[in-house]
């Protein structure tokens, strides 16, 4: 295999890419490109040599929604003779504002990645060894239903468990087809045991803000004049229009910026002030800010009286606990002088924002930290207004009714141990996995259905995740690439990439709401299929056999159908939702059109098909202001203020005490930052050119950031004889990795940092395999106690030069 990329042309948006050659197909190497001698785009093959160099001839521009990260920017794919040759930004989408970042441009490489999954596969070796045989789709579905000599099928498992659907677990990655997988596995098949990325991502951020101010909100950085940003490294981690809003106005241009971060990041470099906070102590900083504001009565008294429930109790709580800047300085590593200064400046500003954050959980106090941040924002009165945290509005799309069956034998989900407020839908990955490994689950968990999710890389303590997957009787993976986790699957189903599929229409934005549609730019390559097609076909394969099991064990069904004729039983099966296929009677395209036409009429659908974006009055409102700037809504039509008298900030959640959770944000001594002598606190983060482990095999992005390093304080490195590029071993209580060192004065002596998403263990991802180190091998599996989310920054490690 050879891959050639012109970095200059890539950065200019004109990509030159060649994919050539392939290794022979065998039972142990089924992930390689298959050789074809001519262009065969119609039957879904990549030619033996393709060039995606942009031509000047006839081309079609197809609107798409990017799938390279969570932000979902809009673009147009230039398609020439069945080949996507260029990805351009979409000037009609208010959320992405005619912008595609490097990751967005590199989506073309994800489509044409030589290592991508090309056809269904069934395991013939041992779990983890990568030995599979190529199969047809029907053979793969049959293996899921009936099993093979290597693993059990779902029919046998459910028969042995007497139709307890809870014996099936499932996990899901982020994306526009996520809900369809939840419908299949949760609503139709009936499993309550669901985990996804939220418990290893921003669950406590969302939970803290929703329970305090009723929304996560949208930070209007374009109109704010003072910003505190903590742990969110916007200059490096995610480059989007709101990131640009921030930095085009920082450094004396209208937005005074204060950055809290253990590292001196690029975001800190662009700030007016960098506060090198000790990891996990942000809560003490916010409590001290609040103390100053309440003690000196700097808050918006009118707003507090009208909109802050429990304000007097909170004021008494903060002042009586004596959360002074002097107290916080000893905990946070931030001087009392800086805390006083920041609190006073924040409240004196016209439009201050304490940025909510979009990162994962830092420490076990993270829920209370986010509550404290939201309350502090409320003290300024800068909510639901221009330049503040905006509630906005959203275009509500019609919801489709799901005819969900009731399975009498299904048991409740079990991943609630040690969690105060279990999520209604998505559970805790760590609690779920660990209960199974420790034998604490009240009934067997025997199967995992996984889609576009890589817990081997993303969930702390990889060794436990591997043991968990090995324990299953059946693992099924739906994905685009042969990830680390895919190597532990029994059946692998290749999903079409986001550029090859039309996805359910989605609603985005609050300040300037719109609906968007991703259209398939080309047909799925090789034998991959759109996810909704996979859901439908799998439902068709499983429906009747699983219905027979339900009839065998479900006494309610037996009572209901007693004395019925076969025709009446068939009608009962359909009417009561046991027919798994009825959720996919319409195609995605049909469903999208029906929703849009129902809301806005035929003309809206025509605009959406052409532009990929629609909002009311788009033809009137949308204007080009200069070559790269557009107006989407007139200023007086933007949703800066929508709540008015409904707006509430809940300071004192007394109902939490029944669950063993502090009703108001409170500091406890065991939150203190503590690193034993000779050890280091591990901090992790993300890079703008990578999306966790999902882009580590992307050659275009590897050209921008080849690998990850361990950041170490340069004085510590001098004493240990460690130079740039030296290999060091990093060891925690649960595992170890080797990684190259990056000595720097941008991090404290007792802390280290590494980028997340590297260290791939799947040999079938040639670019990602063995590149850098996987932080999940090191991070201890601790949880914060409110939602059970994974704590990422409370692991201490040892380091030695190799």
């Amino acid at each position: 295999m050879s891959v050639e990329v012109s970095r200059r042309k890539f950065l200019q948006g004109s990509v030159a890419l060649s994919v050539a050659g392939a290794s022979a197909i065998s039972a142990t190497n089924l992930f390689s490109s298959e050789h074809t001698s001519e262009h065969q785009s119609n039957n879904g093959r990549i030619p033996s040599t393709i060039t995606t160099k942009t031509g000047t001839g006839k081309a079609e521009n197809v609107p798409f929604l990017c799938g390279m990260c969570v932000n979902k920017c809009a673009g147009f794919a230039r398609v020439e003779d069945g080949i996507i040759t260029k990805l351009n930004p979409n000037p009609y989408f208010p959320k992405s504002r005619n912008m595609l970042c490097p990751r967005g441009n590199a989506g073309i490489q994800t489509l044409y990645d030589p290592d991508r999954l090309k056809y269904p596969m069934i395991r013939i070796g041992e779990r983890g060894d990568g030995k599979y045989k190529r199969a047809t789709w029907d053979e793969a579905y049959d293996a899921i239903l009936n099993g093979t000599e290597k693993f059990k099928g779902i029919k046998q498992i459910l028969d042995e468990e007497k139709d307890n659907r809870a014996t099936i677990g499932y996990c899901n990655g982020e994306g526009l087809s996520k809900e369809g997988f939840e419908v299949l596995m949760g609503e139709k098949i009936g499993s309550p045991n669901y985990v996804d990325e939220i418990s290893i991502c921003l669950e406590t951020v969302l939970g803290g803000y929703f329970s305090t101010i009723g929304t996560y909100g949208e930070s209007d950085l374009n109109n704010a004049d003072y910003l505190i940003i903590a742990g969110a490294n916007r200059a490096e981690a995610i480059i989007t229009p709101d990131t640009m809003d921030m930095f085009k106005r920082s450094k004396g241009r209208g937005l005074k910026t204060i950055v809290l971060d253990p590292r001196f990041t690029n975001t800190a470099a662009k700030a007016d002030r960098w506060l090198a906070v000790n990891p996990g102590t942000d809560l003490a900083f916010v409590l001290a800010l609040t103390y100053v504001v309440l003690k000196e009565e700097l808050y918006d008294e009118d707003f507090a009286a009208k909109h802050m429930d429990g304000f007097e109790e909170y004021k008494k709580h903060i002042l009586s606990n004596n959360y002074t800047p002097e107290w916080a300085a000893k905990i946070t590593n931030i001087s009392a002088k800086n805390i006083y200064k920041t609190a006073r400046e924040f409240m004196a500003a016209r439009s201050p924002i304490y940025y909510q954050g979009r990162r994962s959980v830092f420490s076990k106090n993270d829920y209370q930290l986010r509550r404290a941040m939201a309350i502090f924002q409320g003290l300024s009165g800068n909510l639901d207004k221009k330049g503040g945290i905006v509630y906005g509005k959203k275009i509500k799309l019609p919801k489709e009714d799901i005819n969900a069956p009731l399975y009498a034998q299904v048991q409740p989900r079990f991943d609630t141990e040690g969690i105060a407020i279990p999520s209604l839908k998505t559970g805790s990955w760590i609690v779920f996995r660990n209960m199974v490994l420790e034998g604490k689950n009240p009934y067997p968990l025997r199967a995992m259905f996984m889609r576009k999710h890589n817990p081997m890389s993303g969930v702390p303590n990889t060794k436990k995740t591997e043991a968990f997957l090995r324990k299953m009787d059946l693992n099924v993976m739906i994905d685009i690439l042969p990830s680390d986790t895919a190597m532990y699957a029994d059946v692998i189903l290749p999903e079409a990439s986001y550029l090859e599929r039309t996805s359910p229409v989605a609603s985005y934005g609050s300040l300037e709401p719109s609906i968007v549609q991703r259209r398939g730019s080309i047909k799925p390559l090789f034998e991959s299929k759109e996810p909704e097609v996979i859901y439908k076909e799998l439902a068709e394969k499983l429906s009747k056999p699983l219905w027979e099991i339900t009839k065998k064990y479900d006494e309610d069904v037996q009572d209901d159908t007693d004395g019925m004729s076969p025709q009446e039983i068939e009608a009962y099966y359909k009417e009561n939702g046991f027919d798994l296929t009825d959720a996919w009677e319409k195609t995605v395209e049909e469903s999208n059109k029906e929703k849009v036409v129902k809301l806005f009429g035929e003309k809206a659908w025509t605009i959406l098909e052409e532009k990929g974006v629609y909002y009311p009055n788009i033809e009137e409102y949308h204007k080009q202001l200069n070559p790269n700037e557009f107006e989407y809504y007139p200023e007086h039509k933007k949703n800066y203020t929508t709540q008015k008298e409904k707006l509430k900030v809940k300071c004192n959640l007394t109902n939490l005490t029944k669950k063993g959770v502090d009703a108001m944000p409170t500091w406890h001594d065991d939150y203190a930052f503590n690193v034993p002598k000779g050890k280091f606190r591990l901090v992790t983060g993300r890079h703008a050119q990578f999306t966790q482990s999902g882009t580590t095999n992307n050659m275009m992005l590897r050209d921008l950031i080849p690998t990850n390093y361990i950041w170490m304080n340069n004085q510590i490195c001098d004493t240990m004889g460690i130079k740039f590029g030296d290999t060091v071993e990093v060891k925690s209580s649960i595992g170890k990795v080797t990684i190259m060192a990056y000595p720097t004065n941008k991090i404290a002596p007792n802390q280290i940092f590494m980028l997340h998403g590297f260290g791939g263990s799947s040999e079938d991802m040639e670019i990602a395999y063995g590149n850098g180190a996987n932080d999940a091998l090191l991070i201890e599996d601790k949880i914060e106690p409110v939602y059970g989310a994974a704590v990422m920054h409370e692991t201490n490690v040892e380091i030695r030069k190799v």
Side-chain angles (χ1 to χ4, degrees):
M1 181 196 78
S2 67
V3 180
E4 299 175 3
V5 180
S6 166
R7 180 177 181 182
R8 183 177 290 105
K9 289 185 178 180
F10 163 59
L11 291 174
Q12 292 170 342
S14 178
V15 181
L17 169 67
S18 294
V19 180
S23 50
I25 301 294
S26 71
T28 59
N29 185 17
L30 287 168
F31 301 89
S32 304
S33 297
E34 184 173 14
H35 180 80
T36 56
S37 60
E38 57 184 321
H39 188 150
Q40 294 177 310
S41 63
N42 289 336
N43 67 2
R45 295 285 179 85
I46 301 176
S48 59
T49 302
I50 63 168
T51 261
T52 60
K53 187 174 181 180
T54 306
T56 58
K58 183 180 179 182
E60 181 184 8
N61 289 303
V62 183
F64 71 90
L65 208 61
C66 187
M68 296 296 282
C69 86
V70 70
N71 210 60
K72 299 294 176 292
C73 297
F76 285 100
R78 180 180 173 88
V79 183
E80 300 179 46
D81 192 25
I83 298 291
I84 297 178
T85 61
K86 193 172 188 293
L87 301 178
N88 294 307
N90 186 331
Y92 298 102
F93 192 25
K95 189 172 188 286
S96 56
R97 291 188 247 157
N98 200 38
M99 177 178 171
L100 275 184
C101 75
R103 276 186 291 195
N105 277 282
I108 199 168
Q109 173 65 15
T110 295
L111 170 67
Y112 294 122
D113 191 324
D115 294 337
R116 64 175 287 185
L117 296 168
K118 300 170 179 65
Y119 27 71
M121 287 175 291
I122 299 172
R123 178 170 66 84
I124 57 174
E126 300 307 311
R127 285 211 178 114
D129 67 10
K131 293 182 180 179
Y132 292 83
K133 70 174 182 179
R134 179 176 178 173
T136 66
W137 279 93
D138 192 60
E139 288 170 340
Y141 293 143
D142 188 73
I144 293 169
L145 178 64
N146 296 309
T148 71
E149 69 278 2
K150 285 287 184 179
F151 55 87
K152 292 182 177 181
I154 198 64
K155 184 170 70 174
Q156 181 181 352
I157 292 169
L158 284 179
D159 195 9
E160 291 173 354
E161 297 300 325
K162 296 179 172 55
D163 203 37
N164 176 18
R165 304 302 177 103
T167 200
I168 306 167
Y170 68 109
C171 64
N172 202 359
E174 189 276 330
L176 295 183
S177 295
K178 176 178 182 176
E179 287 76 13
F181 190 62
E182 294 169 9
V183 167
L184 173 65
M185 299 306 305
E187 300 290 333
K188 298 301 288 184
I189 289 178
S191 168
N193 283 315
Y194 175 41
V195 285
D196 69 359
E197 82 284 347
I198 195 168
S199 72
I200 52 174
C201 192
L202 42 66
E203 185 165 33
T204 53
V205 180
L206 297 177
Y209 272 86
F210 272 94
S211 62
T212 306
I213 64 172
T215 184
Y216 171 76
E218 179 180 340
S219 289
D220 182 17
L221 299 177
N222 204 36
N223 292 297
D225 65 343
Y226 195 93
L227 176 69
I228 301 176
I229 182 167
N233 185 15
R234 293 300 298 256
E236 295 176 67
I238 185 163
I239 308 301
T240 56
D242 51 339
T243 299
M244 306 308 292
D245 289 342
M246 176 180 166
F247 292 112
K248 74 185 180 185
R249 303 182 59 242
S250 61
K251 301 291 274 187
R253 289 170 290 188
L255 179 64
K256 189 165 186 176
T257 305
I258 313 302
V259 169
L260 265 76
D261 203 298
R263 293 188 303 142
F264 186 72
T265 63
N266 283 350
T267 303
K270 297 178 184 298
D272 295 273
R273 205 154 60 240
W274 169 51
L275 306 177
V277 64
N278 282 330
T281 66
D282 292 53
L283 175 59
F285 173 76
V286 181
L287 292 174
L289 292 179
T290 307
Y291 179 93
V292 175
V293 170
L294 294 174
K295 185 75 172 177
E296 299 181 4
E297 298 187 344
L298 304 176
Y299 56 90
D300 185 325
E301 293 183 9
D302 184 57
F303 183 91
K306 288 182 179 178
H307 301 290
M308 298 188 73
D309 289 348
F311 171 75
E312 291 299 332
E313 295 98 316
Y314 192 61
K315 182 176 181 179
K316 181 179 179 182
H317 168 71
I318 295 294
L319 297 179
S320 65
N321 276 290
N322 208 29
Y323 290 141
T324 66
E326 290 77 13
W327 162 82
K330 298 173 185 177
I331 297 169
T332 63
N333 189 45
I334 300 171
S335 70
K337 180 181 177 181
N338 266 323
I339 296 174
Y340 280 111
K341 184 178 182 179
T342 303
R344 292 164 181 165
E345 286 178 347
F346 191 91
M347 291 299 158
R350 169 183 48 81
S351 300
I353 292 177
Y354 201 122
Y355 180 67
Q356 308 97 302
R358 53 192 297 169
R359 271 268 344 242
S360 54
V361 175
F362 298 138
S363 64
K364 59 188 173 186
N365 64 44
D366 208 87
Y367 172 75
Q368 297 292 8
L369 164 63
R370 309 302 173 168
R371 290 242 310 122
M373 288 163 57
I375 296 170
F376 183 72
Q377 179 72 36
L379 290 172
S380 72
N382 198 32
L383 287 170
D384 193 37
K385 62 172 65 173
K386 187 174 182 176
I389 294 180
V390 177
Y391 287 65
K393 292 181 180 178
K394 194 171 185 177
I395 297 173
K396 292 184 178 180
L397 294 166
K399 289 195 173 182
E400 296 182 42
D401 292 330
I402 304 299
N403 189 11
L406 294 175
Y407 297 102
Q409 302 299 99
V410 67
Q411 299 295 307
R413 53 185 281 196
F414 57 75
D415 63 334
T416 57
E417 185 176 279
I419 300 175
I421 310 175
S423 166
L424 293 175
K425 190 174 186 181
T426 62
S428 164
W429 242 120
I430 290 179
V431 174
F432 176 70
R433 178 198 65 192
N434 289 2
M435 285 187 71
V436 172
L437 290 178
E438 295 164 12
K440 294 181 179 178
N441 44 312
Y443 51 82
L445 185 84
R446 298 181 58 182
M448 278 298 294
F449 282 70
M450 302 171 283
R451 177 189 169 267
K452 229 185 137 200
H453 195 32
N454 189 11
M456 286 288 289
S457 176
V459 180
N461 202 331
T462 300
K463 289 180 181 177
K464 283 188 177 180
T465 304
E466 178 183 339
F468 169 82
L469 293 172
R470 289 188 182 278
K471 193 176 178 68
M472 296 299 107
D473 287 311
L474 174 67
N475 288 323
V476 177
M477 172 62 80
I478 304 171
D479 211 335
I480 297 166
L481 287 164
S483 69
D484 304 348
T485 305
M487 293 299 97
Y488 292 86
D490 302 306
V491 181
I492 301 176
L493 305 177
E495 182 176 291
S497 74
Y498 71 91
L499 290 168
E500 301 164 283
R501 65 182 190 239
T502 297
S503 297
V505 65
S507 177
Y508 284 101
S510 57
L511 184 62
E512 299 178 283
S514 60
I515 58 172
V516 283
Q517 179 186 224
R518 170 192 288 148
R519 279 176 50 198
S521 303
I522 61 173
K523 292 181 179 179
L525 295 173
F526 297 98
E527 295 177 16
S528 64
K529 291 187 177 185
E530 296 175 334
E532 287 76 17
V533 173
I534 298 174
Y535 307 155
K536 179 182 179 181
E537 292 180 349
L538 188 55
E540 289 171 345
K541 188 72 175 183
L542 300 182
S543 191
K544 280 298 179 68
L546 299 195
W547 164 238
E548 293 301 318
I549 294 171
T550 295
K551 288 195 296 180
K552 182 177 178 181
Y553 294 106
D554 193 320
E555 293 181 359
D556 291 342
V557 169
Q558 292 167 2
D559 290 342
D560 288 347
T561 58
D562 186 35
M564 283 186 180
S565 67
Q567 292 80 8
E568 290 172 326
I569 292 176
E570 179 70 13
Y572 177 92
Y573 157 77
K574 291 181 176 294
E575 289 168 4
N576 289 279
F578 295 103
D579 181 358
L580 305 183
T581 66
D582 60 13
W584 291 277
E585 290 176 345
K586 299 170 189 171
T587 65
V588 174
E589 293 82 356
E590 290 169 343
S591 179
N592 285 351
K593 183 175 182 179
E594 184 178 283
K595 289 177 182 178
V596 173
V597 171
K598 181 179 181 180
L599 277 178
F600 301 112
E602 290 281 351
K603 188 175 182 181
W605 174 250
T606 302
I607 293 172
L608 185 64
E609 280 279 277
E610 176 192 347
K611 294 179 167 60
V613 182
Y614 178 80
Y615 53 89
N617 303 306
I618 185 173
E619 294 175 297
E620 175 190 349
Y621 290 172
H622 187 265
K623 293 181 176 66
Q624 184 163 3
L625 304 178
N626 59 50
N628 196 43
E629 187 177 1
F630 296 82
E631 180 180 85
Y632 301 95
Y633 280 71
E635 189 68 12
H636 70 283
K637 291 291 184 180
K638 294 179 182 178
N639 295 299
Y640 289 118
T641 302
T642 60
Q643 300 300 296
K644 297 182 180 178
E645 298 305 316
K646 295 186 295 181
L647 178 60
K648 293 294 178 186
V649 178
K650 297 180 180 179
C651 303
N652 187 13
L653 298 178
T654 55
N655 62 313
L656 290 180
T657 57
K658 300 173 186 176
K659 303 174 184 295
V661 178
D662 291 324
M664 294 178 282
T666 305
W667 181 263
H668 295 280
D669 289 341
D670 63 343
Y671 293 161
F673 175 72
N674 181 36
V675 180
K677 186 177 180 180
K679 292 193 175 185
F680 306 85
R681 177 61 56 87
L682 173 62
V683 177
T684 69
R686 293 170 174 82
H687 196 279
Q689 273 68 64
F690 269 17
T691 307
Q692 291 88 35
S693 62
T695 50
T696 51
N697 211 59
N698 191 302
M699 175 55 82
M700 290 181 176
L701 298 178
R702 279 286 299 280
D703 188 46
L704 299 175
I705 176 167
T707 190
N708 64 344
Y709 291 78
I710 197 79
W711 286 40
M712 296 181 64
N713 181 271
N714 49 8
Q715 294 179 5
I716 296 295
C717 287
D718 288 343
T719 63
M720 297 179 69
I722 296 171
K723 296 181 173 58
F724 175 77
D726 284 351
T727 299
V728 298
E729 179 187 86
V730 184
K731 183 180 180 181
S732 73
S733 66
I734 57 115
K736 60 184 178 180
V737 301
T738 55
I739 186 173
M740 289 187 290
Y742 172 61
T744 176
N745 63 356
K746 297 178 181 179
I747 195 165
N750 59 358
Q751 298 161 38
I752 60 171
F753 169 83
M754 64 188 293
L755 283 174
H756 171 71
F758 289 82
S761 61
S762 171
E763 295 183 26
D764 293 297
M765 293 175 65
E766 186 172 332
I767 305 300
Y769 176 65
N771 174 44
N774 176 10
D775 57 355
L777 284 163
L778 296 171
I779 301 173
E780 296 166 351
D781 44 329
K782 299 176 181 179
I783 63 165
E784 62 82 36
V786 181
Y787 287 101
V791 172
M792 298 296 185
H793 291 172
E794 289 193 359
T795 298
N796 294 324
V797 300
E798 300 172 356
I799 295 178
R800 69 177 182 88
K801 184 178 178 181
V802 176

